[in-house]
Short mmCIF file of all heavy atoms in Angstrom, two decimals:
data_model
loop_
_atom_site.label_atom_id
_atom_site.label_comp_id
_atom_site.label_asym_id
_atom_site.label_seq_id
_atom_site.Cartn_x
_atom_site.Cartn_y
_atom_site.Cartn_z
N GLU A 1 199.36 128.40 179.45
CA GLU A 1 200.80 128.83 179.71
C GLU A 1 201.10 129.28 181.10
O GLU A 1 202.14 128.94 181.68
CB GLU A 1 201.16 129.93 178.63
CG GLU A 1 202.62 130.35 178.75
CD GLU A 1 203.50 129.32 178.31
OE1 GLU A 1 203.25 128.45 177.52
OE2 GLU A 1 204.74 129.36 178.68
N ALA A 4 201.41 126.20 183.34
CA ALA A 4 202.76 125.56 183.17
C ALA A 4 203.87 126.38 183.97
O ALA A 4 204.75 125.78 184.53
CB ALA A 4 203.00 125.37 181.66
N LEU A 7 203.52 125.70 187.52
CA LEU A 7 204.16 124.40 187.83
C LEU A 7 205.81 124.46 187.93
O LEU A 7 206.37 124.04 188.84
CB LEU A 7 203.86 123.34 186.70
CG LEU A 7 204.51 122.02 186.82
CD1 LEU A 7 204.13 121.26 188.13
CD2 LEU A 7 204.09 121.19 185.66
N ALA A 30 235.86 95.37 204.21
CA ALA A 30 234.71 95.34 205.05
C ALA A 30 234.91 94.64 206.29
O ALA A 30 234.12 94.83 207.24
CB ALA A 30 233.52 94.75 204.16
N LEU A 56 240.28 107.18 197.45
CA LEU A 56 240.19 106.88 196.07
C LEU A 56 240.50 108.08 195.14
O LEU A 56 240.26 109.24 195.59
CB LEU A 56 238.62 106.51 195.82
CG LEU A 56 238.11 105.29 196.48
CD1 LEU A 56 236.68 105.10 196.13
CD2 LEU A 56 239.02 104.17 196.05
N ASP A 57 241.06 107.82 194.13
CA ASP A 57 241.60 108.84 193.20
C ASP A 57 240.37 109.40 192.36
O ASP A 57 240.05 108.71 191.46
CB ASP A 57 242.70 108.26 192.27
CG ASP A 57 243.38 109.34 191.42
OD1 ASP A 57 243.26 110.56 191.81
OD2 ASP A 57 243.83 109.02 190.35
N PRO A 64 229.19 114.69 187.06
CA PRO A 64 227.72 114.38 187.11
C PRO A 64 227.59 112.99 187.75
O PRO A 64 228.55 112.14 187.80
CB PRO A 64 227.41 114.23 185.59
CG PRO A 64 228.64 114.39 184.84
CD PRO A 64 229.74 114.76 185.69
N ARG A 71 232.41 105.35 188.68
CA ARG A 71 233.62 105.29 189.46
C ARG A 71 233.40 104.66 190.81
O ARG A 71 234.26 103.87 191.36
CB ARG A 71 234.20 106.66 189.64
CG ARG A 71 234.71 107.29 188.37
CD ARG A 71 235.07 108.72 188.54
NE ARG A 71 235.57 109.33 187.34
CZ ARG A 71 236.77 109.27 186.96
NH1 ARG A 71 237.76 108.94 187.75
NH2 ARG A 71 237.15 110.01 185.86
N GLY A 74 226.60 102.31 191.68
CA GLY A 74 225.24 102.81 191.70
C GLY A 74 224.72 103.18 193.00
O GLY A 74 224.12 104.25 193.15
N ALA A 77 226.32 106.40 194.20
CA ALA A 77 225.74 107.62 193.41
C ALA A 77 224.31 107.94 193.98
O ALA A 77 223.95 109.12 194.09
CB ALA A 77 225.73 107.30 191.95
N LEU A 78 223.51 106.84 194.33
CA LEU A 78 222.21 107.04 194.92
C LEU A 78 222.32 107.87 196.18
O LEU A 78 221.56 108.75 196.47
CB LEU A 78 221.38 105.91 195.00
CG LEU A 78 220.61 105.38 193.77
CD1 LEU A 78 220.02 103.99 194.18
CD2 LEU A 78 219.56 106.34 193.52
N ARG A 81 223.23 111.67 195.71
CA ARG A 81 222.22 112.33 194.88
C ARG A 81 221.55 113.43 195.79
O ARG A 81 221.41 114.62 195.41
CB ARG A 81 221.13 111.43 194.32
CG ARG A 81 220.16 112.12 193.51
CD ARG A 81 219.38 111.18 192.78
NE ARG A 81 218.39 111.91 191.93
CZ ARG A 81 217.14 111.70 192.03
NH1 ARG A 81 216.54 110.91 192.78
NH2 ARG A 81 216.29 112.50 191.26
N LEU A 99 232.90 101.67 202.11
CA LEU A 99 233.04 103.02 201.37
C LEU A 99 232.57 104.08 202.17
O LEU A 99 231.45 104.04 202.81
CB LEU A 99 232.37 103.02 199.99
CG LEU A 99 232.58 104.06 198.94
CD1 LEU A 99 233.96 104.17 198.56
CD2 LEU A 99 231.66 103.84 197.78
N TYR A 100 233.34 105.28 202.29
CA TYR A 100 232.76 106.45 202.91
C TYR A 100 233.04 107.56 201.91
O TYR A 100 233.97 107.60 201.17
CB TYR A 100 233.84 106.73 204.10
CG TYR A 100 233.79 105.82 205.28
CD1 TYR A 100 234.75 104.62 205.13
CD2 TYR A 100 232.93 105.91 206.26
CE1 TYR A 100 234.79 103.75 206.26
CE2 TYR A 100 233.01 104.97 207.27
CZ TYR A 100 233.87 103.86 207.30
OH TYR A 100 233.82 102.96 208.28
N GLU A 114 212.26 129.67 179.98
CA GLU A 114 212.19 129.66 178.63
C GLU A 114 213.10 128.52 178.02
O GLU A 114 212.87 128.02 176.97
CB GLU A 114 212.83 131.03 178.03
CG GLU A 114 211.94 132.18 178.28
CD GLU A 114 211.91 132.66 179.85
OE1 GLU A 114 212.87 132.31 180.56
OE2 GLU A 114 210.88 133.32 180.21
N GLU A 118 209.06 123.77 176.96
CA GLU A 118 208.33 122.71 176.28
C GLU A 118 208.23 121.47 177.25
O GLU A 118 207.23 120.82 177.31
CB GLU A 118 209.17 122.19 175.00
CG GLU A 118 208.34 121.24 174.09
CD GLU A 118 207.01 121.79 173.73
OE1 GLU A 118 206.89 122.95 173.39
OE2 GLU A 118 206.08 120.93 173.67
N LEU A 125 200.70 118.94 180.97
CA LEU A 125 199.62 118.16 180.25
C LEU A 125 199.48 116.74 180.80
O LEU A 125 198.41 116.16 180.87
CB LEU A 125 199.85 118.13 178.73
CG LEU A 125 199.72 119.52 178.03
CD1 LEU A 125 200.31 119.39 176.63
CD2 LEU A 125 198.27 119.85 178.01
N LEU A 137 187.59 107.74 186.43
CA LEU A 137 187.54 106.41 187.08
C LEU A 137 186.74 106.50 188.37
O LEU A 137 185.95 105.64 188.65
CB LEU A 137 188.90 105.84 187.31
CG LEU A 137 189.70 105.43 186.10
CD1 LEU A 137 191.17 105.05 186.54
CD2 LEU A 137 189.06 104.24 185.38
N VAL A 148 175.57 90.38 189.80
CA VAL A 148 176.22 89.14 189.82
C VAL A 148 175.41 88.26 188.92
O VAL A 148 174.07 88.12 189.14
CB VAL A 148 176.41 88.61 191.16
CG1 VAL A 148 177.04 87.14 191.14
CG2 VAL A 148 177.15 89.38 192.06
#
Side-chain angles (χ1 to χ4, degrees):
E1 184 66 23
L7 172 65
L56 293 180
D57 186 28
R71 292 170 181 268
L78 272 174
R81 185 169 179 236
L99 188 64
Y100 297 90
E114 292 73 22
E118 190 59 39
L125 287 172
L137 291 173
V148 178

